[in-house]
Protein backbone atom coordinates (compact mmCIF):
# COMPACT_ATOMS: atom_id res chain seq x y z
CA UNK A 1 0.00 0.00 0.00
CA UNK A 2 2.82 2.39 0.84
CA UNK A 3 4.46 1.65 -2.50
CA UNK A 4 1.17 2.35 -4.28
CA UNK A 5 0.76 5.71 -2.53
CA UNK A 6 4.37 6.61 -3.17
CA UNK A 7 4.21 5.72 -6.85
CA UNK A 8 1.04 7.71 -7.48
CA UNK A 9 1.92 10.60 -5.17
CA UNK A 10 2.10 12.96 -8.17
CA UNK A 11 -1.54 12.21 -8.98
CA UNK A 12 -2.64 12.99 -5.42
CA UNK A 13 -0.67 16.25 -5.50
CA UNK A 14 -2.28 17.18 -8.81
CA UNK A 15 -5.80 16.49 -7.51
CA UNK A 16 -5.02 18.45 -4.37
CA UNK A 17 -3.91 21.52 -6.32
CA UNK A 18 -7.02 21.45 -8.53
CA UNK A 19 -9.26 21.02 -5.47
CA UNK A 20 -7.67 23.99 -3.69
CA UNK A 21 -8.08 26.20 -6.75
CA UNK A 22 -11.70 25.07 -7.10
CA UNK A 23 -12.48 25.96 -3.48
CA UNK A 24 -10.80 29.38 -3.77
CA UNK A 25 -12.72 30.28 -6.92
CA UNK A 26 -15.97 29.06 -5.34
CA UNK A 27 -15.43 31.28 -2.30
CA UNK A 28 -14.65 34.32 -4.46
CA UNK A 29 -17.78 33.85 -6.59
CA UNK A 30 -20.04 33.12 -3.62
CA UNK A 31 -19.00 36.31 -1.83
CA UNK A 32 -19.83 38.61 -4.74
CA UNK A 33 -22.44 41.10 -3.64
CA UNK A 34 -25.65 41.89 -5.47
CA UNK A 35 -28.05 44.71 -4.79
CA UNK A 36 -30.25 44.39 -1.69
CA UNK A 37 -32.49 47.29 -2.72
CA UNK A 38 -33.50 48.29 -6.22
CA UNK A 39 -33.19 51.54 -8.12
CA UNK A 40 -36.51 53.42 -8.04
CA UNK A 41 -35.53 56.04 -10.63
CA UNK A 42 -36.47 53.79 -13.55
CA UNK A 43 -40.10 53.39 -14.68
CA UNK A 44 -41.94 50.34 -13.42
CA UNK A 45 -42.88 49.33 -16.96
CA UNK A 46 -40.67 46.73 -18.64
CA UNK A 47 -42.46 45.88 -21.91
CA UNK A 48 -42.60 48.58 -24.61
CA UNK A 49 -44.44 47.04 -27.54
CA UNK A 50 -44.30 49.96 -29.99
CA UNK A 51 -44.55 47.53 -32.94
CA UNK A 52 -47.83 46.20 -31.52
CA UNK A 53 -46.93 42.54 -32.01
CA UNK A 54 -48.26 41.43 -28.61
CA UNK A 55 -51.77 41.24 -27.26
CA UNK A 56 -52.65 43.00 -24.01
CA UNK A 57 -52.76 39.69 -22.16
CA UNK A 58 -49.34 38.70 -23.54
CA UNK A 59 -47.85 42.00 -22.41
CA UNK A 60 -49.22 41.49 -18.91
CA UNK A 61 -47.90 37.93 -18.79
CA UNK A 62 -44.46 39.09 -19.87
CA UNK A 63 -44.47 41.86 -17.24
CA UNK A 64 -45.23 39.27 -14.55
CA UNK A 65 -42.52 36.89 -15.81
CA UNK A 66 -40.00 39.73 -15.90
CA UNK A 67 -40.83 40.83 -12.35
CA UNK A 68 -40.37 37.30 -11.05
CA UNK A 69 -37.11 36.91 -12.96
CA UNK A 70 -35.75 40.26 -11.77
CA UNK A 71 -36.27 39.24 -8.15
CA UNK A 72 -34.23 36.09 -8.77
CA UNK A 73 -31.26 37.66 -10.53
CA UNK A 74 -31.38 41.26 -9.22
CA UNK A 75 -31.16 42.69 -12.74
CA UNK A 76 -33.58 44.75 -14.83
CA UNK A 77 -34.96 43.01 -17.92
CA UNK A 78 -36.46 45.28 -20.57
CA UNK A 79 -38.17 44.51 -23.89
CA UNK A 80 -38.66 47.09 -26.67
CA UNK A 81 -40.30 46.31 -30.02
CA UNK A 82 -40.28 48.76 -32.95
CA UNK A 83 -41.30 48.80 -36.60
CA UNK A 84 -39.11 51.60 -37.93
CA UNK A 85 -36.47 52.30 -40.63
CA UNK A 86 -33.85 52.62 -37.94
CA UNK A 87 -30.91 52.96 -40.33
CA UNK A 88 -32.32 56.16 -41.85
CA UNK A 89 -32.97 57.53 -38.39
CA UNK A 90 -29.24 57.43 -37.71
CA UNK A 91 -28.31 59.12 -40.96
CA UNK A 92 -27.38 56.12 -43.09
CA UNK A 93 -28.45 55.80 -46.71
CA UNK A 94 -27.15 52.28 -47.35
CA UNK A 95 -28.74 49.24 -45.68
CA UNK A 96 -25.49 47.55 -44.67
CA UNK A 97 -24.85 45.28 -41.71
CA UNK A 98 -22.49 47.84 -40.20
CA UNK A 99 -25.14 50.57 -40.41
CA UNK A 100 -27.77 48.26 -38.94
CA UNK A 101 -25.52 47.17 -36.06
CA UNK A 102 -24.59 50.74 -35.17
CA UNK A 103 -28.18 51.98 -35.32
CA UNK A 104 -29.66 49.11 -33.30
CA UNK A 105 -26.88 49.31 -30.71
CA UNK A 106 -27.31 53.03 -30.15
CA UNK A 107 -31.09 52.86 -30.01
CA UNK A 108 -30.99 50.06 -27.42
CA UNK A 109 -28.26 51.64 -25.29
CA UNK A 110 -29.88 55.10 -25.34
CA UNK A 111 -33.28 53.69 -24.42
CA UNK A 112 -31.72 51.92 -21.43
CA UNK A 113 -29.73 54.97 -20.34
CA UNK A 114 -32.42 57.60 -20.90
CA UNK A 115 -34.93 55.65 -18.80
CA UNK A 116 -32.43 55.16 -15.95
CA UNK A 117 -32.70 51.38 -15.98
CA UNK A 118 -30.47 49.33 -13.70
CA UNK A 119 -31.60 47.17 -10.80
CA UNK A 120 -28.95 48.33 -8.32
CA UNK A 121 -28.55 51.90 -9.54
CA UNK A 122 -29.14 54.17 -12.52
CA UNK A 123 -27.33 52.63 -15.50
CA UNK A 124 -26.64 49.56 -13.39
CA UNK A 125 -27.34 45.82 -13.67
CA UNK A 126 -29.68 44.82 -16.47
CA UNK A 127 -30.35 43.88 -20.08
CA UNK A 128 -32.56 45.19 -22.87
CA UNK A 129 -33.79 43.36 -25.94
CA UNK A 130 -34.62 45.61 -28.89
CA UNK A 131 -36.60 43.85 -31.63
CA UNK A 132 -37.24 45.61 -34.95
CA UNK A 133 -39.98 44.32 -37.24
CA UNK A 134 -39.42 46.75 -40.13
CA UNK A 135 -40.07 45.11 -43.53
CA UNK A 136 -39.29 41.66 -42.16
CA UNK A 137 -39.06 39.03 -44.87
CA UNK A 138 -38.36 41.50 -47.69
CA UNK A 139 -35.18 42.47 -49.52
CA UNK A 140 -35.27 45.86 -47.76
CA UNK A 141 -35.65 44.34 -44.31
CA UNK A 142 -34.20 46.10 -41.30
CA UNK A 143 -35.69 43.50 -38.97
CA UNK A 144 -33.68 41.83 -36.25
CA UNK A 145 -32.88 41.80 -32.56
CA UNK A 146 -30.19 43.52 -30.50
CA UNK A 147 -29.33 42.58 -26.91
CA UNK A 148 -27.82 45.38 -24.83
CA UNK A 149 -26.15 44.42 -21.53
CA UNK A 150 -25.09 46.60 -18.60
CA UNK A 151 -23.56 46.20 -15.14
CA UNK A 152 -23.30 42.62 -13.90
CA UNK A 153 -24.98 41.30 -17.03
CA UNK A 154 -22.30 43.01 -19.14
CA UNK A 155 -19.53 41.53 -16.99
CA UNK A 156 -21.13 38.09 -17.08
CA UNK A 157 -22.09 37.77 -20.75
CA UNK A 158 -19.52 36.82 -23.36
CA UNK A 159 -20.17 37.25 -27.07
CA UNK A 160 -21.15 33.58 -27.34
CA UNK A 161 -23.65 33.93 -24.48
CA UNK A 162 -25.23 36.92 -26.21
CA UNK A 163 -25.51 34.83 -29.37
CA UNK A 164 -27.15 32.04 -27.37
CA UNK A 165 -29.88 34.40 -26.15
CA UNK A 166 -30.46 35.78 -29.65
CA UNK A 167 -30.59 32.24 -31.03
CA UNK A 168 -33.37 31.50 -28.55
CA UNK A 169 -35.26 34.55 -29.81
CA UNK A 170 -34.69 33.64 -33.47
CA UNK A 171 -36.09 30.17 -32.86
CA UNK A 172 -39.63 31.52 -32.36
CA UNK A 173 -39.75 35.11 -33.60
CA UNK A 174 -40.97 34.21 -37.09
CA UNK A 175 -44.24 32.68 -35.96
CA UNK A 176 -44.69 33.44 -32.24
CA UNK A 177 -43.16 36.75 -30.98
CA UNK A 178 -44.57 36.24 -27.50
CA UNK A 179 -42.75 32.92 -27.18
CA UNK A 180 -39.57 34.53 -28.54
CA UNK A 181 -39.60 37.36 -25.98
CA UNK A 182 -40.39 34.91 -23.22
CA UNK A 183 -37.37 32.88 -24.31
CA UNK A 184 -35.23 36.04 -24.03
CA UNK A 185 -36.27 36.58 -20.41
CA UNK A 186 -35.83 32.92 -19.47
CA UNK A 187 -32.47 32.61 -21.23
CA UNK A 188 -30.93 35.67 -19.54
CA UNK A 189 -32.34 34.59 -16.19
CA UNK A 190 -30.94 31.08 -16.52
CA UNK A 191 -27.48 32.36 -17.39
CA UNK A 192 -27.43 34.91 -14.59
CA UNK A 193 -28.51 32.31 -12.03
CA UNK A 194 -25.31 30.44 -12.91
CA UNK A 195 -23.26 33.56 -12.19
CA UNK A 196 -21.90 32.16 -8.93
CA UNK A 197 -21.24 28.64 -10.17
CA UNK A 198 -17.66 27.56 -9.41
CA UNK A 199 -15.51 28.17 -12.46
CA UNK A 200 -11.85 27.26 -12.87
CA UNK A 201 -10.12 29.22 -15.64
CA UNK A 202 -8.72 27.19 -18.52
CA UNK A 203 -5.04 27.96 -17.72
CA UNK A 204 -5.45 26.59 -14.20
CA UNK A 205 -7.13 23.45 -15.49
CA UNK A 206 -4.54 22.66 -18.15
CA UNK A 207 -1.29 24.55 -17.60
CA UNK A 208 -0.88 24.11 -13.84
CA UNK A 209 -1.41 20.32 -13.88
CA UNK A 210 0.88 20.11 -16.93
CA UNK A 211 3.66 21.94 -15.08
CA UNK A 212 3.25 19.78 -11.99
CA UNK A 213 3.28 16.61 -14.08
CA UNK A 214 6.37 17.81 -15.94
CA UNK A 215 8.24 18.52 -12.72
CA UNK A 216 7.30 15.11 -11.35
CA UNK A 217 8.34 13.25 -14.49
CA UNK A 218 11.66 15.09 -14.67
CA UNK A 219 12.39 14.38 -11.00
CA UNK A 220 11.20 10.78 -11.24
CA UNK A 221 13.34 10.00 -14.26
CA UNK A 222 16.34 11.70 -12.70
CA UNK A 223 16.11 9.49 -9.64
CA UNK A 224 15.77 6.36 -11.78
CA UNK A 225 18.68 7.25 -14.03
CA UNK A 226 21.73 5.04 -13.50
CA UNK A 227 25.41 5.67 -14.23
CA UNK A 228 26.29 5.42 -17.88
CA UNK A 229 28.80 2.71 -18.65
CA UNK A 230 28.91 3.31 -22.40
CA UNK A 231 28.68 6.31 -24.69
CA UNK A 232 27.88 6.78 -28.34
CA UNK A 233 31.57 6.35 -29.20
CA UNK A 234 32.38 3.35 -27.02
CA UNK A 235 32.46 0.82 -29.89
CA UNK A 236 33.65 3.16 -32.65
CA UNK A 237 37.26 2.86 -33.81
CA UNK A 238 39.06 6.21 -33.55
CA UNK A 239 39.40 8.16 -36.83
CA UNK A 240 37.20 5.67 -38.69
CA UNK A 241 34.40 8.13 -39.43
CA UNK A 242 34.64 10.92 -41.98
CA UNK A 243 32.05 13.67 -42.48
CA UNK A 244 31.36 15.47 -45.76
CA UNK A 245 30.66 19.13 -45.01
CA UNK A 246 28.08 20.95 -47.16
CA UNK A 247 27.15 24.60 -46.80
CA UNK A 248 24.33 26.73 -48.19
CA UNK A 249 25.09 30.33 -49.00
CA UNK A 250 22.34 32.92 -48.64
CA UNK A 251 22.13 34.85 -51.91
CA UNK A 252 19.15 37.07 -51.05
CA UNK A 253 16.18 37.19 -48.72
CA UNK A 254 12.51 37.98 -49.11
CA UNK A 255 10.07 38.35 -46.22
CA UNK A 256 6.30 38.17 -46.66
CA UNK A 257 4.07 39.49 -43.89
CA UNK A 258 0.45 38.41 -43.44
CA UNK A 259 -2.03 40.18 -41.17
CA UNK A 260 -4.29 37.72 -39.39
CA UNK A 261 -7.44 39.18 -37.90
CA UNK A 262 -9.03 37.51 -34.91
CA UNK A 263 -12.70 37.36 -34.12
CA UNK A 264 -14.27 38.13 -30.76
CA UNK A 265 -13.63 35.66 -28.01
CA UNK A 266 -16.39 33.52 -26.67
CA UNK A 267 -14.85 33.16 -23.22
CA UNK A 268 -15.25 35.45 -20.23
CA UNK A 269 -17.61 38.41 -19.92
CA UNK A 270 -17.80 41.82 -21.54
CA UNK A 271 -19.01 40.60 -24.94
CA UNK A 272 -19.38 43.48 -27.42
CA UNK A 273 -18.00 46.00 -24.93
CA UNK A 274 -18.36 49.70 -25.82
CA UNK A 275 -19.58 53.00 -24.42
CA UNK A 276 -22.96 54.47 -25.22
CA UNK A 277 -23.47 58.06 -26.39
CA UNK A 278 -24.00 58.91 -22.72
CA UNK A 279 -20.67 57.40 -21.70
CA UNK A 280 -22.13 54.28 -20.03
CA UNK A 281 -20.34 50.94 -20.41
CA UNK A 282 -22.45 48.43 -22.32
CA UNK A 283 -22.02 45.10 -24.04
CA UNK A 284 -24.16 43.76 -26.81
CA UNK A 285 -24.73 41.98 -30.07
CA UNK A 286 -27.39 41.55 -32.72
CA UNK A 287 -28.94 39.16 -35.25
CA UNK A 288 -30.53 40.48 -38.45
CA UNK A 289 -33.49 38.80 -40.11
Amino acid sequence: MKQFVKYFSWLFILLGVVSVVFVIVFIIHSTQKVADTRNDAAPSRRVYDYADVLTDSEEKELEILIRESEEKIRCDLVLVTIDEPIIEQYGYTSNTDAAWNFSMMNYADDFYDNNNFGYDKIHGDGALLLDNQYLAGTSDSQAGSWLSTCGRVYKRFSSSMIDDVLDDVDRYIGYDPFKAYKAYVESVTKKMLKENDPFIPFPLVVIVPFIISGVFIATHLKNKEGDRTTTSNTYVEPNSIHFNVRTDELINSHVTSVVISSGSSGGGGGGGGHRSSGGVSHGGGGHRR
Side-chain angles (χ1 to χ4, degrees), residues 222-234:
K222 185 67 176 178
N223 293 336
K224 295 293 184 180
E225 184 180 346
D227 296 331
R228 292 185 178 181
T229 57
T230 61
T231 68
S232 60
N233 295 321
T234 299

Side-chain angles (χ1 to χ4, degrees), residues 3-288:
Q3 290 295 329
F4 174 82
V5 174
K6 181 179 180 181
Y7 186 80
F8 288 100
S9 59
W10 65 274
L11 179 59
F12 296 119
I13 294 173
L14 178 61
L15 292 175
V17 171
V18 173
S19 299
V20 170
V21 172
F22 187 88
V23 171
I24 292 174
V25 174
F26 177 81
I27 293 174
I28 292 175
H29 278 267
S30 62
T31 55
Q32 289 182 341
K33 293 183 178 180
V34 295
D36 294 326
T37 58
R38 68 178 310 147
N39 159 41
D40 293 328
S44 59
R45 184 179 174 186
R46 292 293 184 270
V47 179
Y48 298 82
D49 184 26
Y50 299 132
D52 198 23
V53 295
L54 300 171
T55 65
D56 291 341
S57 60
E58 288 174 338
E59 285 191 42
K60 291 178 181 178
E61 188 172 341
L62 274 175
E63 289 278 6
I64 293 173
L65 175 63
I66 288 174
R67 288 296 178 187
E68 293 173 347
S69 299
E70 288 180 344
E71 289 300 318
K72 294 177 183 177
I73 63 176
R74 297 292 196 270
C75 298
D76 281 354
L77 297 174
V78 185
L79 169 67
V80 181
T81 72
I82 59 175
D83 187 2
E84 304 173 9
I86 194 169
I87 290 176
E88 288 79 358
Q89 291 182 18
Y90 282 85
Y92 290 97
T93 57
S94 180
N95 189 3
T96 64
D97 288 343
W100 184 88
N101 286 330
F102 180 85
S103 302
M104 292 288 286
M105 178 185 73
N106 279 278
Y107 190 108
D109 291 347
D110 290 344
F111 194 96
Y112 191 94
D113 295 351
N114 293 339
N115 286 283
N116 296 326
F117 286 116
Y119 190 98
D120 55 329
K121 61 182 179 180
I122 295 175
H123 306 156
D125 304 336
L128 182 149
L129 180 72
L130 172 64
D131 188 62
N132 193 359
Q133 299 281 332
Y134 188 72
L135 297 179
T138 71
S139 59
D140 296 322
S141 172
Q142 294 184 28
S145 302
W146 184 274
L147 180 65
S148 174
T149 59
C150 196
R152 278 178 31 246
V153 186
Y154 164 53
K155 294 177 182 178
R156 165 71 174 160
F157 273 53
S158 64
S159 295
S160 63
M161 292 170 70
I162 292 172
D163 280 333
D164 288 343
V165 175
L166 294 172
D167 285 341
D168 291 337
V169 173
D170 292 342
R171 191 172 293 114
Y172 308 109
I173 193 66
Y175 66 93
D176 192 343
F178 170 71
K179 196 170 184 178
Y181 304 145
K182 185 178 178 182
Y184 144 65
V185 176
E186 292 173 342
S187 185
V188 173
T189 301
K190 182 179 179 180
K191 287 176 171 54
M192 288 305 296
L193 286 175
K194 293 182 178 180
E195 183 181 22
N196 290 324
D197 284 356
F199 169 74
I200 300 179
F202 178 78
L204 292 178
V205 174
V206 178
I207 297 177
V208 172
F210 179 80
I211 294 174
I212 295 174
S213 300
V215 171
F216 167 78
I217 292 173
T219 305
H220 187 73
L221 293 178
K222 185 67 176 178
N223 293 336
K224 295 293 184 180
E225 184 180 346
D227 296 331
R228 292 185 178 181
T229 57
T230 61
T231 68
S232 60
N233 295 321
T234 299
Y235 301 105
V236 179
E237 183 178 347
N239 302 320
S240 63
I241 299 178
H242 300 279
F243 295 96
N244 294 322
V245 179
R246 299 175 61 185
T247 61
D248 293 325
E249 295 184 3
L250 179 64
I251 303 302
N252 54 52
S253 64
H254 178 72
V255 179
T256 301
S257 61
V258 179
V259 178
I260 302 176
S261 60
S262 59
S264 58
S265 172
H274 59 276
R275 286 192 177 274
S276 66
S277 60
V280 180
S281 294
H282 283 272
H287 285 184
R288 293 195 72 172

